[in-house]
Amino acid sequence: MIQTRHDDLRSYQVGPVHAELRGLTVSDDREGMLEGTPHLHRRFRLMGIEKAMAATPHLYVHDLDKVRADAERRVEEWLPREAVHARLTSWWTPEAMAEPGHTALSVMWFQTPAQDPFAYLATIVRPLDWTSLAGFVPFED
């Protein structure tokens, strides 16, 4: 797992909104698989994504349509094995929101071990619309 200290937060431009990276986890997408095929791995990956989307509000999965299409095909090529989860926050809040808080967005994607997850995150989030994807998180006392 890659971690940064609070004073080392990385900043990202997400559409018109400035956001800070609060957490980034890189894990082995094939962990726990003792046997299988590339096709089975694709189906397990899609099931894992659907479970994560149900459990995590405001989760954006990069290339989700491609992942779904891959799960339907019988392809004998292994997918990239690293699953990456990032959590971003911003001080931007919807105008209608009267209570104090911030907005948050989780992003998930898959990559090879050779790719830099921080640089790849920047390319994923730059064209996104933070205002429609992120969720409001009120401050708790």
Side-chain angles (χ1 to χ4, degrees):
M1 179 166 66
I2 300 170
Q3 295 181 337
T4 61
R5 294 189 334 241
H6 178 67
D7 56 347
D8 291 338
L9 292 177
R10 292 178 183 245
S11 297
Y12 292 88
Q13 195 67 35
V14 185
V17 175
H18 175 78
E20 293 179 334
L21 179 65
R22 296 295 176 166
L24 184 115
T25 305
V26 179
S27 59
D28 185 348
D29 190 45
R30 293 187 214 152
E31 186 175 332
M33 283 186 69
L34 299 177
E35 291 184 17
T37 64
H39 178 68
L40 184 61
H41 178 230
R42 282 173 165 73
R43 292 185 59 210
F44 280 150
R45 176 176 280 180
L46 186 57
M47 288 188 308
I49 289 171
E50 290 170 351
K51 185 177 177 181
M53 289 175 69
T56 308
H58 306 287
L59 172 65
Y60 172 78
V61 180
H62 182 62
D63 283 342
L64 180 58
D65 291 337
K66 184 180 175 193
V67 172
R68 285 183 173 140
D70 275 351
E72 295 299 318
R73 298 184 329 209
R74 280 222 171 274
V75 178
E76 293 306 316
E77 178 183 319
W78 286 98
L79 293 169
R81 73 181 299 150
E82 287 190 342
V84 186
H85 296 262
R87 190 169 82 67
L88 300 156
T89 63
S90 175
W91 291 113
W92 176 89
T93 57
E95 288 182 23
M97 203 56 62
E99 62 184 306
H102 64 277
T103 48
L105 175 66
S106 295
V107 180
M108 179 180 183
W109 71 94
F110 301 92
Q111 67 176 41
T112 63
Q115 290 175 295
D116 175 10
F118 297 104
Y120 199 53
L121 175 60
T123 63
I124 291 171
V125 299
R126 190 173 298 116
L128 297 181
D129 180 12
W130 181 273
T131 61
S132 66
L133 294 172
F136 179 75
V137 180
F139 288 137
E140 296 178 5
D141 289 336

